[in-house]
Amino acid sequence: MQTLNTIEEFRKTKAALPGSWGLVPTMGYLHTGHLSLVKRAKAENDLVAVSIFVNPTQFGPNEDLAAYPRDLDQDLRLLESLEVDLVFNPTPEVMYPPNYQTYVTVEHVTKVLEGASRPGHFRGVATVVAKLFNIVGAERAYFGQKDAQQTVVIRRMVKDLNMPIDIIICPTLREADGLAMSSRNTYLDAEHRRAAPVLYRALNAAKEVFDRGERDGDHLRSIMRGVIESEPLAKLDYVSAANATTLQELDPHPAPPPSQTAATGEGVLLSMAVRVGKPRLIDNFLYENGQWLTGEVAYHR
Ligand code: PAF
């Protein structure tokens, strides 16, 4: 495994390694969820590149970029053990040199949910991901379903800008009690860690009524809200039951069958953000093509 810090070095090294490439973009501080993306990329490509870059443009002025957890040595050890071929680990100056002024703005799907709470966040994500796609030149890129809106934004960008790359979305990995794995879980103290699976419980409560045929957006949202509000240590930011492509909220009184929108047509995304002590946790369930997503989904260019 080689670790490269500049774009020139990366491109030169990659050019000498022919074959199909999978890219796993990360901000480091790798956990089992990231490693599952790497394993998937290894299984589907001749060669794998992982980027480790804490991207400053996706942090808001009130979000502590400096406090984002980092452990490069440990990350490199883990990636080496998985036999990753190249690691791209640039500095902010390499990615955003002086006089940098080009950004990618995906319009509607970035305005709601996480985008409403974190203005500018997805502009930073789309920009850095577009740059990484251009620098690495992989055939496939791997992202986790845990950041559901991020996957929607990236897929929209790839489609709209005709980027020659397949996007592979891998399922959320969970702790035994259902808590979605995330670097932010390290900020949970013991008491809040015990409370944190409330997100998973809320999603399951909505899933249960959805599976019995409920498609009223207000009802699905109120069920999730009720579960979150029953946990005194949890502070709700938002709950959403939305169209999985447009991210528009489902109506309170959806049109009746025969189309059964959610059963046969476009997907439904149940999602939420909840502050549990220090960290703000997000989680989601995705219903697509008549079933809850439990495995990998490939979106071809
Ligand atoms: O999901 C992340 O870790 C980041 O948003 C990403 C995709 C690596 C872009 O910085």
Side-chain angles (χ1 to χ4, degrees):
M1 184 177 89
Q2 296 182 70
T3 302
L4 295 321
N5 306 113
T6 69
I7 296 163
E8 296 70 27
E9 278 172 344
F10 182 88
R11 285 193 167 140
K12 199 164 152 225
T13 313
K14 185 191 163 234
L17 297 169
S20 66
W21 281 85
L23 166 66
V24 183
T26 82
M27 297 210 299
Y29 210 68
L30 305 177
H31 53 67
T32 320
H34 293 113
L35 302 184
S36 75
L37 302 182
V38 175
K39 284 180 193 158
R40 177 57 69 170
K42 287 284 295 179
E44 296 178 350
N45 300 276
D46 299 327
L47 296 135
V48 170
V50 175
S51 61
I52 299 178
F53 178 60
V54 182
N55 174 35
T57 63
Q58 69 190 74
F59 285 76
N62 301 323
E63 298 173 355
D64 199 349
L65 168 66
Y68 193 83
R70 296 162 211 240
D71 190 344
L72 183 61
D73 291 344
Q74 167 74 352
D75 289 347
L76 295 179
R77 269 195 298 276
L78 288 168
L79 296 177
E80 178 98 63
S81 74
L82 293 182
E83 298 180 0
V84 162
D85 300 281
L86 296 183
V87 175
F88 181 51
N89 176 222
T91 60
E93 293 71 30
V94 162
M95 293 299 272
Y96 302 106
N99 203 27
Y100 186 89
Q101 48 191 296
T102 304
Y103 294 88
V104 178
T105 303
V106 180
E107 296 283 349
H108 303 300
V109 292
T110 60
K111 299 280 191 294
V112 293
L113 308 177
E114 288 302 290
S117 308
R118 307 177 69 188
H121 171 68
F122 288 114
R123 177 180 181 259
V125 170
T127 300
V128 81
V129 169
K131 285 171 69 69
L132 291 168
F133 286 178
N134 283 337
I135 293 163
V136 174
E139 277 76 15
R140 297 177 194 86
Y142 295 78
F143 297 89
Q145 175 59 28
K146 166 138 179 306
D147 294 304
Q149 190 173 8
Q150 172 168 281
T151 70
V152 172
V153 170
I154 291 167
R155 283 167 48 209
R156 187 78 260 157
M157 172 183 80
V158 165
K159 208 172 181 150
D160 289 351
L161 297 183
N162 314 99
M163 293 177 166
I165 189 163
D166 294 340
I167 302 298
I168 319 293
I169 310 298
C170 301
T172 303
L173 291 200
R174 298 182 180 280
E175 307 289 353
D177 59 7
L179 176 64
M181 288 185 187
S182 163
S183 307
R184 285 167 207 261
N185 293 351
T186 52
Y187 297 129
L188 290 163
D189 62 25
E191 192 188 10
H192 290 96
R193 173 63 189 82
R194 276 192 294 278
V198 70
L199 283 82
Y200 184 63
R201 286 203 302 278
L203 289 166
N204 271 303
K207 173 180 180 288
E208 221 169 88
V209 296
F210 186 98
D211 285 342
R212 289 202 298 268
E214 181 60 273
R215 296 295 182 272
D216 177 325
D218 273 354
H219 190 207
L220 294 166
R221 288 183 286 272
S222 83
I223 284 171
M224 292 187 278
R225 194 176 302 116
V227 176
I228 299 296
E229 286 172 356
S230 72
E231 169 51 68
L233 295 179
K235 197 171 164 297
L236 182 66
D237 185 349
Y238 67 78
V239 284
S240 164
N243 176 301
T245 307
T246 64
L247 301 184
Q248 293 308 299
E249 291 299 321
L250 298 189
D251 291 336
H253 305 295
S259 70
Q260 283 284 3
T261 322
T264 53
E266 290 184 330
V268 171
L269 181 68
L270 304 177
S271 68
M272 61 184 62
V274 181
R275 196 165 289 281
V276 186
K278 198 166 167 234
R280 181 175 170 284
L281 305 178
I282 58 171
D283 202 353
N284 69 86
F285 282 2
L286 173 62
Y287 184 85
E288 225 168 38
N289 301 320
Q291 57 187 358
W292 294 97
L293 185 87
T294 52
E296 173 192 295
V297 190
Y299 298 91
H300 298 287
R301 65 195 84 174

